[in-house]
């Protein structure tokens, strides 16, 4: 067994884990979502993609690159931003205190824009609830949509995604782990995949 | 982190974490809605046994920007004048619901006393205790210095320290908690500190501190410091003559217009001037220097709010 083999996931995750989306699956899914976003918006006018740290931001960048490829008039700088939701979370009293990440809003602001929030996994919906609160403090978008790579269910709030990479029915005891080359390099080997760990 | 009492025992990692969180808090200050809901429903009490303008309003603004409720307590006009003790005052504030107590006291160690005893369970922030420490002032100075240092080097300040920076701190080191807190913190962050003062205004045992001592301001400025921090001459703490006259102090240790132009002549265009305030214009700093583009005094004040937001956020969020 060669531990440097990037296809061999068992070296970095537990024995009970299984890969549900490989790197190329993610690429395909993001291309589809990028086109869905253009379609839903009837073009790229007034479009802003806001990634939620940590993994939502690189996903928003990847989506932005695809949208820019489909429409060369798009300026990537004014299309993609980052929205930190740490200070808007409802669990700040519990767990360890988190260090907020920077919020970067494109220069044109959010007023009257069509904002697409981008995150890796949609689970309880609490992160998105926090993101909606954070958005309200920064501007007044015309429409807010939600794009996620994986929807694993178990919502605790009335929130649903407009664009979903993969609907993934899970048990509460399972963990969904999204690993991207931008954020989760291990031993210098780029990984891009979605794995499910644990479960009964 | 449960309390913030001094910078002496603040680790490099904790200091950088506070400065990095400050970076994000400062960004909130530039937004239209300068408010975060992070501490909604929490109560912060400011307990001030000594007068203060900027520190108290800075903490109050910080707590309010995080949506906390603030109870302001000033010893003047309170039951302290009827003989109420620190313990009773603090316990009263906690009974009212304070989860963090920001204390300024004339006695060195008052904040430690509040934190180490079982009088109250609230988080304690030292906002200046006697001639001991003033950690949030040192943190806001370090944050201001880091912004400057990163700009000079053209890097993103987040995560960086002050390695290689030369900071000259001038004036009443003996009575200055700001000087002490700054020395420990700047040392932790890798900066080199030089104290410049009349020998009478240096504490006993300063030879063991991790700094260089000089009695001559011009000599210290000739070394080309990256930042000069002027300390306030604390007339209210001086019950004896520490220097012959204010005119002589001003001439030898004041940052006057001549020293300001000397910086220009030496080509030190990146040297900045800090002052913790309130400034005695004409004594330790001339109006020309205080109002020059090198002076970052107001930047320090606005950074103070961001630093205090970061400290209150880190103390009041998460389990302890």
């Amino acid at each position: 067994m060669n531990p440097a083999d990037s296809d061999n996931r068992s070296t970095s995750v537990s024995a009970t884990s299984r890969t549900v989306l490989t790197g190329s699956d993610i690429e395909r899914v993001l291309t589809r979502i990028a086109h869905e976003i253009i379609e839903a918006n009837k073009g790229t006018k007034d479009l802003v993609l806001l990634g939620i740290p940590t993994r939502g931001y690189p996903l928003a960048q990847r989506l932005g690159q695809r949208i820019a490829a489909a429409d060369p008039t798009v300026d990537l700088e004014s299309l993609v931003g980052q929205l930190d939701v740490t200070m808007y979370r409802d669990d700040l009293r519990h767990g360890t205190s988190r260090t907020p990440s920077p919020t970067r809003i494109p220069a044109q602001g959010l007023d009257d824009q069509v904002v697409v929030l981008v995150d890796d996994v949609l689970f309880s919906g609490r992160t998105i609830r926090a993101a909606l609160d954070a958005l309200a403090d920064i501007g007044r978008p015309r429409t807010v949509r939600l794009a996620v790579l994986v929807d694993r269910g178990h919502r605790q709030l009335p929130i649903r995604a407009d664009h979903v990479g993969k609907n993934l029915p899970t048990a509460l005891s399972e963990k969904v782990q999204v690993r991207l080359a931008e954020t989760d390099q291990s031993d210098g080997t780029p990984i891009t995949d979605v794995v499910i760990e644990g479960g009964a | 982190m449960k309390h913030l009492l001094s910078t002496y025992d603040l680790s490099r990692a904790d200091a950088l974490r506070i400065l990095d969180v400050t970076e994000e808090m400062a960004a909130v200050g530039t937004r239209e809605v300068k408010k975060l809901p992070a501490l909604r429903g929490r109560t912060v009490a400011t307990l001030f046994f000594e007068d203060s303008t900027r520190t108290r309003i800075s903490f109050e603004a910080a707590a309010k920007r995080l949506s906390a409720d603030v109870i302001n307590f000033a010893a003047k006009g309170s039951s302290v004048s009827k003989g109420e003790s620190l313990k009773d005052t603090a316990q009263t504030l906690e009974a009212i619901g304070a989860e963090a107590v920001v204390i300024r006291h004339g006695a060195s160690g008052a904040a430690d006393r509040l934190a180490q005893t079982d009088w109250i369970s609230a988080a304690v922030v030292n906002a200046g205790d006697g001639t001991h420490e003033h950690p949030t002032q040192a943190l806001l100075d370090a944050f201001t210095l880091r912004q400057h240092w990163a700009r000079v080097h053209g890097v993103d300040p987040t995560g960086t320290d002050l390695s290689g920076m030369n900071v000259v701190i001038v004036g009443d080191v003996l009575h200055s908690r700001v000087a002490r807190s700054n020395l420990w913190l700047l040392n932790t962050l890798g900066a080199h500190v030089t104290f410049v003062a009349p020998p009478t205004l240096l504490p006993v045992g300063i030879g063991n501190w991790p700094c260089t001592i000089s009695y001559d301001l011009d000599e210290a400025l000739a070394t080309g410091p990256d930042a000069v921090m002027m300390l306030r001459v604390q007339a209210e703490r001086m019950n004896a003559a520490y220097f012959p006259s204010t005119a002589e102090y001003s001439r030898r240790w004041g940052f006057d217009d001549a020293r300001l132009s000397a910086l220009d002549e030496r080509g030190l265009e990146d040297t900045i001037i800090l002052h913790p305030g309130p400034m005695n214009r004409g004594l330790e700093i001339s109006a020309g220097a205080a109002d020059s583009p090198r002076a970052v005094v107001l930047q320090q004040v606005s950074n103070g709010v961001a630093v205090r937001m970061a400290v209150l956020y880190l103390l009041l969020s998460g389990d302890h």
Side-chain angles (χ1 to χ4, degrees):
Chain A
M1 187 187 288
N2 178 6
D5 183 358
S6 63
D7 287 325
N8 187 0
R9 307 298 179 201
S10 61
T11 55
S12 50
V13 293
S14 70
T16 57
S17 70
R18 63 195 163 92
T19 303
V20 286
L21 285 179
T22 63
S24 52
D25 292 336
I26 293 176
E27 297 296 302
R28 252 195 318 280
V29 151
L30 289 176
T31 305
R32 171 171 57 79
I33 294 179
H35 285 99
E36 278 179 16
I37 290 173
I38 299 174
E39 177 126 12
N41 195 49
K42 298 187 174 63
T44 56
K45 193 170 176 291
D46 299 338
L47 195 60
V48 175
L49 308 181
L50 290 182
I52 298 172
T54 315
R55 291 178 190 82
Y57 181 58
L59 288 174
Q61 279 180 314
R62 291 194 198 183
L63 283 173
Q65 282 154 5
R66 283 166 172 77
I67 290 172
D71 180 354
T73 61
V74 168
D75 169 27
L76 211 53
E77 282 282 299
S78 59
L79 178 65
V80 181
Q82 171 165 295
L83 180 72
D84 182 69
V85 305
T86 311
M87 309 302 284
Y88 296 84
R89 299 192 69 94
D90 56 11
D91 59 353
L92 286 176
R93 278 172 190 246
H94 313 292
T96 53
S97 41
R98 301 154 186 257
T99 304
S101 306
T103 290
R104 295 190 207 95
I105 303 297
Q108 76 272 25
L110 300 181
D111 290 351
D112 219 26
Q113 303 285 301
V114 176
V115 171
V116 181
L117 294 171
V118 182
D119 205 0
D120 55 349
V121 180
L122 179 58
F123 182 26
S124 65
R126 286 175 188 270
T127 302
I128 304 304
R129 199 276 313 151
L132 291 171
D133 277 1
L135 268 186
D137 275 3
I138 293 166
R140 189 179 180 282
R142 186 164 77 233
T143 309
V144 182
R145 294 207 179 90
L146 175 60
V148 294
L149 184 61
V150 173
D151 183 348
R152 65 166 292 193
H154 305 290
R155 213 78 75 243
Q156 294 167 2
L157 296 168
I159 282 169
R160 66 168 187 84
D162 300 275
H163 311 288
V164 180
K166 187 175 177 65
N167 281 300
L168 199 59
T170 54
L172 262 176
S173 55
E174 288 173 322
K175 269 188 191 164
V176 176
Q177 219 187 84
V178 173
R179 303 183 302 180
L180 302 176
E182 294 94 325
T183 50
D184 306 278
Q185 293 220 344
S186 73
D187 308 329
T189 314
I191 325 161
T192 296
D193 59 11
V194 179
V195 296
I196 293 191
E197 262 192 79
Chain B
M1 216 164 61
K2 166 86 171 107
H3 307 290
L4 178 66
L5 304 172
S6 77
T7 57
Y8 186 78
D9 46 13
L10 199 61
S11 69
R12 184 176 175 280
D14 278 345
L16 285 180
R17 178 141 194 252
I18 296 172
L19 297 184
D20 289 347
V21 175
T22 303
E23 208 73 56
E24 302 315 317
M25 297 299 184
V28 175
T30 63
R31 294 199 330 215
E32 203 171 319
V33 180
K34 296 177 177 53
K35 210 158 167 111
L36 294 169
L39 299 184
R40 202 175 52 200
R42 321 292 293 271
T43 303
V44 174
T46 65
L47 181 53
F48 274 59
F49 289 86
E50 274 186 355
D51 296 338
S52 162
T53 310
R54 66 211 77 221
T55 305
R56 196 187 58 73
I57 60 171
S58 180
F59 269 109
E60 186 174 346
K64 284 181 172 169
R65 277 196 191 167
L66 292 171
S67 302
D69 296 314
V70 185
I71 301 172
N72 281 315
F73 171 92
K76 269 184 195 159
S78 74
S79 285
V80 169
S81 56
K82 299 177 190 166
E84 188 175 65
S85 67
L86 173 62
K87 178 181 175 181
D88 288 334
T89 309
Q91 286 183 332
T92 302
L93 288 173
E94 188 168 64
I96 288 168
E99 289 165 88
V101 172
V102 177
I103 177 174
R104 165 166 294 192
H105 202 286
S108 303
D112 282 86
R113 181 83 181 139
L114 213 49
Q116 306 310 341
T117 54
D118 58 356
W119 296 347
I120 56 170
S121 59
V124 177
V125 183
N126 182 3
D129 58 334
T131 58
H132 175 226
E133 283 233 32
H134 191 355
T136 56
Q137 177 69 41
L139 284 161
L140 77 88
D141 288 337
F143 183 76
T144 310
L145 290 170
R146 187 172 83 157
Q147 271 183 333
H148 174 70
W149 200 229
R151 196 172 48 241
V152 167
H153 288 89
V155 295
D156 178 9
T158 305
T160 62
D161 63 9
L162 302 175
S163 294
M165 194 172 198
N166 271 319
V167 182
V168 169
I169 301 180
V170 190
D172 185 359
V173 177
L174 178 63
H175 298 102
S176 178
R177 50 201 176 203
V178 174
R180 284 168 181 73
S181 284
N182 263 298
L183 172 64
W184 311 132
L185 182 61
L186 295 180
N187 208 53
T188 302
L189 293 174
H192 179 78
V193 175
T194 304
F195 279 132
V196 182
T200 47
L201 286 176
L202 287 171
V204 173
I206 196 169
N208 299 324
W209 292 8
C211 59
T212 307
I213 312 293
S214 168
Y215 307 113
D216 188 329
L217 179 54
D218 293 310
E219 204 177 271
L221 292 180
T223 62
D226 301 297
V228 183
M229 188 183 297
M230 304 307 297
L231 300 172
R232 185 170 66 86
V233 175
Q234 304 194 34
E236 77 276 14
R237 291 184 205 277
M238 297 185 192
N239 49 10
Y242 287 94
F243 45 83
S245 73
T246 51
E248 176 167 337
Y249 182 89
S250 174
R251 197 173 64 247
R252 295 194 59 181
W253 295 285
F255 201 98
D256 55 16
D257 293 348
R259 293 191 169 106
L260 183 65
S261 38
L263 286 186
D264 296 333
E265 284 156 23
R266 288 200 185 95
L268 297 170
E269 68 269 11
D270 287 330
T271 302
I272 51 170
I273 305 167
L274 294 90
H275 193 298
M279 292 186 281
N280 296 312
R281 284 171 182 248
L283 181 52
E284 72 263 2
I285 189 165
S286 70
D291 298 331
S292 76
R294 292 179 187 276
V296 292
V297 180
L298 292 177
Q299 207 175 309
Q300 287 174 272
V301 176
S302 62
N303 287 340
V305 178
V307 157
R308 284 157 185 140
M309 285 171 78
V311 168
L312 289 174
Y313 165 70
L314 289 170
L315 290 181
L316 284 177
S317 65
D319 290 328
H320 294 291

